[in-house]
Amino acid sequence: MAQAETLSDSNMADSDMDAPVETRVVMLIDDEPAQSRLITAIAAREGWRTVVASDAETAIAMLGTREGMQLSAILLDQWVPGDDACTLIAELKERRPALPILMLTTSASPLLAVEAMRAGASDYLVKPVSPDRLMEALRAVTTREAPRDELAPLTEKMSATLDFDAMIGTAPTFRTALAQAAKAARGHGHALIEGESGTGKEMLMRAMHAASPRSKDPLRIINIASVPPNSIESVLFGHEPNAFPGAFDRQIGALQHCDGGTLVLDEVDRLNTTVQQRLREAIETGIVRPVGASHGFRVDVRLLSASNMSLSQLVAGGLFATELAQLLGATRITLPPLRDRTGDIPALTRHFLGRIGEQPGLTHLSVSDTALALLSAFDWPGNVRQLQSVLFRAAVYCDGGTLTADSFPQLSEMLGELEAGGASAHDGVGIMLYTEDGNLRPLEEIEADVIRLAIGHYRGRMTEVARRLGIGRSTLYRKLSDLGIDNAA
């Protein structure tokens, strides 16, 4: 059985602690006492009461008890039934069809995700899973006001690609961000990626590392929010034996581990003030001193950081150190939310469906115009990650060869019936013809957007771009210069 450490206990104090009026009950099927206690404590902070079943037989029997009739959800650790997890899910769903089931597993296999969902699982969480992610999944499948099943944020099922070609989109703001990232990747300076959750910040940082001179050197990714606050200093800087209670052995910190390479700090805005100060000193001096050590180590590490919030705003509010923000943001890149580039949704949809179709247990699917119109009309608060999750879920349950509007019932319910012709003619293009006051934009701006779109669509193949635009290569490069367009844009 996986140990309790497979569930991080970080940020438990940051969870929404307003207890609901009515206590909800969740059944946890788990035979590991330590992990059961941890999950019970996490759930209790949001008003959940947990009942534990240590095996499948106990879980099935418990469904018929008074306590079992009060259940709002089931959490199933796949380790308990092992290879029979999907069989147990199907049996639980047969007995209680309306009861949502979330499966916890250490496997990231797409095939297992498909099988679990087809058996009746509402979500599939790969351990280690943060408390925030666990409670987010429980809320998504049990809150009637929220979109259920279809919009539940699934754990990523597919391995991330590591190049800029995988970053799909032609919206000018998005192409500008990619051009900045591609230019920064060729150097050694630190970079900060800002943008809402789900916009692709980690994927972009992976692509930057892969395209950098350090691509063959160590890479480590740390999500600050998933590390207990009292452990982050040790994780980053390391510690000596007996540096604090429980420090029995020497630990090499991430900064020293990545000497010569790249350290990715996701949700860097969650660093506490003490660690902010230590990190600033380490960047300025190039010396890392482990906790409890009287000496330090000189390191050469490139930091790629990501923040869901604007560090400038946090600095202005006194919540983030000015000097550290300046050091981390030597290059600052902002990824736009998906609602600001809806014209990219058709291309993103087809790209994701192509990748989904390559997963075991799934097939290649096409998508209808009505489905694309529906997807383009939603504002996607979870951004690109949520779009991928919704498409993955729809593909799992699709019986035919095409996704239609009927494949997304929750979206249809929320948005209502789209009026015929309601989608804008430019939705699939990503080019705005009019200014906010209703007047046409200058021809020079429209031409620049068309060229950016073509460069993005043909992945920077300038000969093809020129041919499709009906101009010569020399003319294209002259226009790039006149319009101030970087050819990576």
Side-chain angles (χ1 to χ4, degrees), residues 72-122:
S72 297
I74 295 176
L75 277 172
L76 166 64
D77 192 307
Q78 184 226 345
W79 185 272
V80 176
D83 293 337
D84 295 327
C86 293
T87 301
L88 176 58
I89 291 172
E91 185 168 355
L92 292 169
K93 291 297 287 186
E94 182 179 354
R95 293 170 183 265
R96 296 286 295 278
L99 199 59
I101 300 173
L102 291 82
M103 186 167 79
L104 298 166
T105 179
T106 55
S107 171
S109 166
L111 182 57
L112 181 57
V114 171
E115 292 175 345
M117 292 167 64
R118 284 178 175 163
S122 300

Side-chain angles (χ1 to χ4, degrees), residues 242-450:
N242 303 315
F244 50 83
F248 302 113
D249 302 307
R250 175 178 290 107
Q251 175 175 304
I252 296 176
L255 287 163
Q256 187 179 349
H257 173 81
C258 292
D259 186 20
T262 304
L263 176 61
V264 170
L265 298 178
D266 199 3
E267 297 196 63
V268 70
D269 51 287
R270 304 290 288 270
L271 283 176
N272 63 53
T273 53
T274 300
V275 179
Q276 286 181 35
Q277 175 68 17
R278 288 206 62 189
L279 183 58
R280 179 186 67 80
E281 293 172 355
I283 295 173
E284 289 178 338
T285 63
I287 296 176
V288 172
R289 183 170 59 84
V291 178
S294 57
H295 58 282
F297 301 91
R298 183 167 294 280
V299 297
D300 171 25
V301 179
R302 184 185 199 185
L303 292 174
L304 300 180
S305 306
S307 174
N308 295 339
M309 304 177 67
S310 166
L311 285 196
S312 296
Q313 293 180 5
L314 294 177
V315 167
L319 301 176
F320 203 88
T322 304
E323 297 84 357
L324 179 58
Q326 292 172 344
L327 290 170
L328 295 178
T331 297
R332 191 176 299 238
I333 300 165
T334 301
L335 281 177
L338 187 54
R339 63 180 174 275
D340 288 349
R341 56 185 190 104
T342 55
D344 289 339
I345 289 178
L348 283 167
T349 297
R350 293 186 175 97
H351 170 73
F352 285 141
L353 288 179
R355 292 186 60 206
I356 290 168
E358 297 171 356
Q359 305 306 308
L362 294 173
T363 59
H364 288 277
L365 298 172
S366 59
V367 59
S368 71
D369 290 342
T370 56
L372 287 176
L374 188 68
L375 294 171
S376 297
F378 189 58
D379 63 1
W380 300 106
N383 294 297
V384 176
R385 183 189 300 135
Q386 186 184 21
L387 173 63
Q388 177 176 331
S389 294
V390 167
L391 292 170
F392 187 94
R393 186 179 298 277
V396 166
Y397 295 119
C398 183
D399 294 327
T402 302
L403 293 180
T404 67
D406 292 336
S407 304
F408 308 97
Q410 278 72 31
L411 280 180
S412 298
E413 181 181 345
M414 286 186 295
L415 296 173
E417 295 295 329
L418 290 176
E419 295 180 2
S424 300
H426 64 268
D427 278 353
V429 179
I431 295 176
M432 300 299 295
L433 299 180
Y434 299 92
T435 59
E436 292 183 357
D437 61 8
N439 293 310
L440 279 168
R441 296 173 63 208
L443 181 60
E444 183 178 88
E445 293 181 9
I446 296 174
E447 184 180 32
D449 283 355
V450 170

